[in-house]
Amino acid sequence: MTMTLEGAAKPPRSNTAFASILAALPRIIFAVYMALFFLYLFLPLVVMGLATFNASKFPTVTPWLGTTLDWFAALWADQAMWKALRLSIFIGLGVIAISLPIGTAAALFLNSLQDRSRSFFYALMVSPLLTPGVAIGIATLVLWRQAGVGGGTLLIVLAQASFITAYVMLMVAARLQRFDRTLEDAAIGLGASRLMVFRRILLPYLKPSLLAATFIAFLQSFENYNTTLFVRGTETPLTVYIATKVRTGLTPAVNALGLVLIALTVIAAVAFELSRRSSQRTAKP
Amino acid sequence: MTRSVELIDIEMTFGITRAVEKLSVTVESGEFFSILGPSGCGKTTILRLIAGFMQPTAGRILIGGRDMVGIGANQRPTSMIFQSLALFPLMPVWENIAFGLEVRGVPKAARRRRAEELLDLIALPGYADRMVHELSGGQKQRVAIARALAVEPQVLLLDEPLSALDLKLRQHMRSELRSLQKRTGVTFIYITHDQSEALAMSDRVAVMSAGILQQVATPRELYANPRTAFVARFVGETNAFSGKVERIADGLAVVETEHGTFLGRGAAGLKAGDAATVYVRPEAISLGTGAGGNGLDALAEQLEFEGATAMLHARTEGGQPVMAALPHHRLTDAPPAGARVRLSFEPAQALVLAHA
Amino acid sequence: MHSLVKRFGPGLGSLILLGVAVWLVGMVLAPNLMMLDFSLRPNLTPAQIGGPDDHYTLVNFSALFADPVHRAIFFKTIWASALVMLTTLVVTYPMAFWLAKVATHRAVAWVTVALIIPFWINEVLRTLAWYILLAFNGPLNVVLVGLGILDTPMRWFGDAGVLAGMVYAYILFMLFPVYNSISTLDSAQIEAARNLGASTIQIHRRIVIPHAKAGIATGCVFTFMLAAGSYVAPALLGAPGSRWFTEVIYNWFFEGGNWNRGAAYALVLLTLCMVVVMATLRIFKVNLADVAK
């Protein structure tokens, strides 16, 4: 890499060992960086996972009080956890029911607009993503209090949907941007109605992005804490349940829950990726 | 012959730009009709107006004698082949072909049968279940044609469908399109910027420039008797010498130019004193003093061999370039670069058009 | 609007419009305007509402800056969020560059999966993992003392814990935008710069970073916003001395019982984030459309 002509012609012999170390230095630094990066990324998870199998009442790996699977049984028997899980799933489905159609509509709306009004609406639509989650929760809470509706499942769904819709919109809009509008003309020219063009041409084209958006919307809802915290009323979805456990008595059963969730999401992600690849293979654009 | 498509005083403006100036054209039933012009001349706009994707600013469109006002693109007896073909990528070939039948509520079995018949027609039997991306360019082309024919249109609209193909395939598809049109008897309206394509396939050609209809004629007529300077220059190669009409005698105009005095067929309405241009095709110019009396001196510059002929590029004393197509048997005595040459052409082969 | 109806027909077109209106008006604009209205009113008992005290006032905002504790927490939240943002950028930049320009396709696929796995679980569990790791009698202290690096266990909870937990939580929000923008850089530019004699640092400073500025801006905007609005990490990994502005807001709502003041504080937080977004976009000369991808 060095450009010095004299240096290249006559390398100082005595310094070769030192020079080779010096040359390897960036590699060494980089290797250390990579190791630290992944250590940082996985150490907490590994510790959390291992703690599940420790007989200690408080989740930790030090000291190791004996290996056990009891905490999975404790998790299985935890009725409050099941209730929280059911609620989270219900909320996730509710968010999908609102965000998927509206987010798709928003993407279609944006796609049909002209330049100037488009950037205005675009800014308005992505603004919930740049708003702190607590502010979204609070704004929803105070609005609905005026209508006499207090915190609870309905408000959780509405508050979450208000920003998750933006994710759906972005995902659908990204695919829509690559859509060839002459396909619509072609279908119309062959006698199709507007509705048929939508159902037979546009919707099948958007299908992959709609599936991905459904997945992401559910995950975002399922994971949400900040917004939910303010609009939950007396309801306890899963994230809130886990957070309150820290105060009411943390046991490795929560770690077991974490392990199960990781396993489930990894399986879902792999399945999703595989189905995406296979559908890509059968229908290359 | 019956009238298939009539455009009556059509105009189209987008905001302040005028895409199509007031024009009227009648396309006969079963005709292969081309609209030829450089890109941006308004030809695609006309096609989209006929298809119903746009409404004209003024004027009427009749198809099969029926006024098309208020009739949407999906209810017109037309069918279009797009420049990009616009095949539906997520449907197999047969569903593409049968899409027009599907939206008309034809049962699936009948749709499939019809699609297979059409696949036979376009010489792609057995391709029904292929996906679009598995086809070659020429095969896609044919599927697009089959899809457009499946709805049994009165008029097929083709928007430069061959432009994406390579030269060999394009020439092959030309003759295929032409024979398909003759077999089916469907009226074809074909848009192209490629004059050789238009001349080779069409019964009649309309030439457009800057939204203005220049001339509608058979390919032969268009080549032999261009009505405007634009047509003369756009259709085929030509030499142009501008000057002033001295007088008109026996239908021949005598034109004074700075390269000499030339005789040529005067267009109707041409009179003495008009500023005019003499147009001569390169193949009408021969080396040496031929019969007829139009002669000019030039300096040979280079010779381009083109197969059947060779194009001699020369320059007059006034600096004007002149092209002459030399037939094969004259190549042996072709002048070397820098040689003085005498060129000549018959008055019957020269056309004189007054300046607009 | 006209083009919408023209493209989708009157039925579907109006459904689309209706959906967009319900979202933008009912779920985005109305709640925020109501929050603004709320923040400008004093906290009244039901009996006082409509009475002489029910008028617009800035008292909820002035209270924030009059209270030294709240003021200090507010400003601390700003600079600590900025610190989280910068740390995340420094930590992820080499990885982003490596993924975009050095790693093979296979390596990128594997590393991406490895990076994403921790993020399939929610922020609360992720923070909980750190809570377990950093506990006073937890594994980190045991290992560090055992190795002789520390004499006595450290109290990690507090500023250090919050920083570690937050950077961890938001790494991907920085990594992916930066990675995406670097990967659009033509590698030949790097080679050309090197060929012209540029050092590694010069290459990054003059070629890679300017090219990746949209991605860097995006990552910074998101990381700052998420950090400033974070609640879990300070609640779990913090100490009394490292309180976060969101915790103050929460207390106004659910312990102090003054929603008007809470709304005002939340609005200040929202405004802060918007200002940071706008300023960052202006500084990096980036357009909003490049941010949300």
Side-chain angles (χ1 to χ4, degrees), chain B residues 59-292:
Chain B
R60 292 196 304 150
I61 297 172
L62 271 56
I63 300 178
R66 210 152 64 95
D67 196 327
M68 285 291 124
V69 74
I71 296 178
N74 48 3
Q75 284 154 345
R76 296 195 179 186
T78 59
S79 162
M80 182 148 161
I81 297 176
F82 292 79
Q83 188 165 15
S84 67
L85 303 183
L87 293 176
F88 306 128
L90 301 176
M91 298 182 196
V93 165
W94 83 268
E95 282 187 31
N96 260 285
I97 294 176
F99 183 82
L101 305 174
E102 180 186 334
V103 300
R104 283 167 176 74
V106 176
K108 188 170 175 184
R111 280 188 339 239
R112 173 88 192 197
R113 210 162 43 238
R114 181 73 185 129
E116 302 209 333
E117 283 168 21
L118 282 158
L119 280 169
D120 287 342
L121 179 76
I122 58 168
L124 282 178
Y127 276 69
D129 294 307
R130 297 283 182 96
M131 292 307 286
V132 172
H133 65 88
E134 296 170 315
L135 304 180
S136 69
Q139 290 170 336
K140 283 181 188 161
Q141 194 75 55
R142 288 189 233 163
V143 171
I145 294 167
R147 183 176 76 174
L149 288 174
V151 297
E152 293 174 5
Q154 290 176 25
V155 184
L156 196 65
L157 307 168
L158 302 97
D159 184 6
E160 308 210 23
L162 304 186
S163 58
L165 304 182
D166 61 50
L167 184 65
K168 261 258 147 53
L169 196 53
R170 199 155 65 219
Q171 282 171 343
H172 174 71
M173 286 307 294
R174 268 185 207 176
S175 58
E176 217 169 287
L177 268 179
R178 179 71 186 157
S179 77
L180 199 68
Q181 193 265 335
K182 289 297 149 212
R183 263 185 291 158
T184 55
V186 175
T187 310
F188 275 34
I189 299 182
Y190 189 97
I191 296 289
T192 182
H193 67 270
D194 179 341
Q195 42 113 355
S196 66
E197 212 168 272
L199 298 184
M201 291 193 288
S202 318
D203 293 317
R204 285 193 304 153
V205 179
V207 181
M208 281 191 75
S209 162
I212 299 167
L213 184 63
Q214 302 280 335
Q215 186 173 2
V216 183
T218 62
R220 236 179 222 228
E221 175 71 9
L222 210 56
Y223 193 79
N225 289 313
R227 197 107 47 76
T228 68
F230 177 82
V231 177
R233 287 167 191 273
F234 189 72
V235 179
E237 300 275 6
T238 194
N239 295 293
F241 307 102
S242 46
K244 198 168 161 196
V245 180
E246 193 85 331
R247 62 199 149 83
I248 313 253
D250 303 334
L252 289 183
V254 181
V255 183
E256 194 83 49
T257 76
E258 57 173 304
H259 317 287
T261 303
F262 300 129
L263 268 71
R265 292 178 290 119
L270 193 72
K271 56 188 187 306
D274 283 352
T277 301
V278 182
Y279 294 97
V280 196
R281 300 285 180 199
E283 66 269 23
I285 297 186
S286 42
L287 216 48
T289 36

Side-chain angles (χ1 to χ4, degrees), chain C residues 100-101 177-187 189 208 211-215 293:
Chain C
K101 285 287 156 240
V178 177
Y179 160 70
N180 279 333
S181 59
I182 296 180
S183 55
T184 61
L185 174 69
D186 182 1
S187 297
Q189 289 194 17
V208 185
H211 179 86
K213 65 173 186 166
K293 265 190 196 150

Side-chain angles (χ1 to χ4, degrees), chain C:
Chain C
M1 317 289 148
H2 173 68
S3 56
L4 197 70
V5 173
K6 204 174 148 199
R7 182 172 176 192
F8 297 105
L12 198 57
S14 29
L15 261 181
I16 289 172
L17 273 183
L18 180 73
V20 172
V22 164
W23 177 37
L24 292 182
V25 177
M27 295 163 75
V28 177
L29 289 175
N32 282 299
L33 289 176
M34 187 55 75
M35 181 164 71
L36 177 66
D37 179 80
F38 234 74
S39 68
L40 290 170
R41 291 176 188 279
N43 187 30
L44 302 174
T45 61
Q48 285 171 304
I49 287 174
D53 293 331
D54 193 0
H55 54 80
Y56 284 125
T57 165
L58 289 172
V59 64
N60 293 317
F61 294 96
S62 56
L64 166 57
F65 296 98
D67 184 331
V69 175
H70 290 175
R71 193 178 56 213
I73 293 175
F74 177 64
F75 286 117
K76 190 249 170 79
T77 301
I78 297 177
W79 72 254
S81 301
L83 182 65
V84 169
M85 174 183 98
L86 278 178
T87 312
T88 315
L89 179 60
V90 170
V91 168
T92 51
Y93 180 83
M95 180 59 89
F97 181 79
W98 180 76
L99 281 175
K101 285 287 156 240
V102 184
T104 61
H105 283 291
R106 270 180 73 87
V108 170
W110 280 108
V111 171
T112 311
V113 170
L115 284 170
I116 289 175
I117 285 175
F119 293 87
W120 286 125
I121 59 167
N122 62 60
E123 197 183 333
V124 180
L125 273 172
R126 251 177 283 156
T127 311
L128 199 64
W130 278 94
Y131 179 76
I132 294 166
L133 182 68
L134 297 183
F136 190 69
N137 295 317
L140 187 64
N141 273 334
V142 170
V143 169
L144 289 179
V145 172
L147 289 174
I149 296 171
L150 291 180
D151 292 333
T152 53
M154 279 262 291
R155 290 211 175 271
W156 296 105
F157 290 156
D159 291 335
V162 172
L163 182 65
M166 278 196 188
V167 171
Y168 188 76
Y170 307 132
I171 267 186
L172 284 198
F173 289 92
M174 185 69 85
L175 182 62
F176 280 137
V178 177
Y179 160 70
N180 279 333
S181 59
I182 296 180
S183 55
T184 61
L185 174 69
D186 182 1
S187 297
Q189 289 194 17
I190 297 175
E191 284 160 9
R194 180 152 287 157
N195 186 248
L196 293 168
S199 69
T200 303
I201 289 171
Q202 281 169 328
I203 287 170
H204 282 278
R205 198 168 57 80
R206 299 281 285 127
I207 312 288
V208 185
I209 292 176
H211 179 86
K213 65 173 186 166
I216 293 173
T218 305
C220 288
V221 162
F222 271 102
T223 317
F224 182 88
M225 186 275 290
L226 289 167
S230 174
Y231 183 83
V232 194
L236 254 59
L237 305 176
S242 68
R243 288 224 303 165
W244 213 253
F245 195 56
T246 46
E247 298 177 277
V248 180
I249 297 175
Y250 184 85
N251 287 348
W252 279 128
F253 270 87
F254 300 111
E255 277 155 38
N258 188 341
W259 283 26
N260 301 84
R261 196 146 295 176
Y265 280 33
L267 203 68
V268 169
L269 179 68
L270 175 66
T271 313
L272 168 72
C273 290
M274 288 298 156
V275 166
V276 169
V277 169
M278 293 306 157
T280 311
L281 297 188
R282 182 63 64 85
I283 290 168
F284 284 80
K285 296 193 183 68
V286 176
N287 188 318
L288 193 62
D290 301 324
V291 170
K293 265 190 196 150

Side-chain angles (χ1 to χ4, degrees), chain A residues 133-170:
Chain A
V134 295
I136 292 173
I138 289 168
T140 308
L141 184 68
V142 295
L143 174 71
W144 286 89
R145 186 163 101 156
Q146 297 306 104
V149 181
T153 310
L154 176 67
L155 288 202
I156 299 177
V157 171
L158 288 176
Q160 288 184 355
S162 75
F163 74 91
I164 291 175
T165 302
Y167 281 108
V168 176
M169 182 278 285
L170 287 176

